[in-house]
DNA sequence: ACAATGATTGTAGATTTGTTACAATCTAGG
DNA sequence: CCTAGATTGTAACAAATCTACAATCATTGT
């Protein structure tokens, strides 16, 4: 009950991962999707950012970064944005599941 | 060879995790350590940020965020900053290991 | 052809966030 | 008390992001 084990570290990873939110610039860098486009997708309700305060900047959590990556992939594959959005929504169910199972599953409701 | 499996998703997690870098404000929020102090620790060489361009802002990757959390913990425990730094360096070896093992271990050299 | 819709992109001006480089303060030990 | 270690404050500046306009471009239906 003193030195944390490796297992502890791995588990803590997901705990931390849940809290990690990155700016739109980072998402653009990681995904290759321009900021402008990311905002557009968010306007359409396909992805969602967390806004901490009132007039603050967008922050994207892990799952939404994943969404961006998936949507991009599907667009490149030739799907329309709407179709991609629908498909991603399907896939996210699985990912959400795996994610909350790994992270100790507190409610992933609203 | 079409629909990714859950295993794929899990593995991709670490791939993505490696690329995630967040601003100093986020690190401060997550850790509770003031930005000012985070910069101080960085000046002392305890943590390290990645700087993309020349005159750009600090970004912290997963491992350095972890470092911040660990240092904070140790300080709260009553260690001096130097002692905490040394202890953290020890611990990071393990974490680095586990991390690169999980993420498909490309060289974590310099 | 042309209108309509979907999707993307451009940009100016304002706001938020982060930087540096100074210096002041606080604290534990000798 | 004095010193080195550690933290904190802040002003002036630079980088990143925001919003709200609008233009562009491709696809599809008439």
């Amino acid at each position: 009950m003193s030195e944390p084990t490796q297992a502890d570290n791995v588990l803590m990873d997901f705990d931390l991962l849940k809290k990690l939110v990155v700016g739109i610039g980072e998402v653009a860098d990681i995904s290759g999707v321009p900021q402008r486009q990311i905002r557009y997708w968010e306007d359409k309700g396909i992805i969602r950012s967390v806004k901490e305060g009132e007039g603050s900047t967008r922050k994207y959590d892990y799952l939404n970064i994943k969404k961006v990556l998936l949507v991009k992939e599907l667009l490149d594959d030739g799907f329309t944005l709407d179709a991609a959005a629908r498909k991603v929504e399907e896939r996210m169910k699985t990912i959400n599941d795996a994610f909350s199972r790994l992270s100790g599953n507190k409610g992933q409701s609203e």
Side-chain angles (χ1 to χ4, degrees), chain A:
Chain A
M1 202 189 276
S2 46
E3 288 289 305
T5 68
Q6 282 201 14
D8 288 336
N9 287 324
V10 175
L11 286 180
M12 228 206 306
D13 282 353
F14 290 98
D15 220 44
L16 181 46
L17 186 51
K18 271 187 144 174
K19 293 191 209 153
L20 279 191
V21 291
V22 312
I24 194 172
E26 263 307 305
V27 180
D29 282 353
I30 291 175
S31 65
V33 179
Q35 301 189 12
R36 195 66 186 69
Q37 197 167 7
I38 295 175
R39 291 198 194 94
Y40 175 69
W41 292 355
E42 181 165 0
D43 285 346
K44 304 265 313 184
I46 297 175
I47 56 176
R48 191 190 290 197
S49 65
V50 300
K51 295 241 212 167
E52 337 242 38
E54 193 40 38
S56 67
T57 64
R58 290 171 175 84
K59 297 290 168 55
Y60 296 92
D61 62 17
Y62 175 80
L63 289 173
N64 277 278
I65 297 172
K66 264 219 127 69
K67 271 198 186 182
V68 170
L69 291 169
L70 289 178
V71 171
K72 177 198 168 65
E73 239 184 74
L74 291 170
L75 286 192
D76 288 348
D77 259 22
F79 290 98
T80 68
L81 186 55
D82 280 342
R86 260 178 281 119
K87 259 180 179 294
V88 163
E89 222 42 54
E90 260 321 298
R91 274 240 212 128
M92 287 311 286
K93 284 182 194 163
T94 307
I95 297 180
N96 262 303
D97 262 29
F99 191 68
S100 47
R101 205 171 308 120
L102 283 166
S103 62
N105 50 270
K106 319 292 189 193
Q108 181 76 17
S109 41
E110 156 59 345

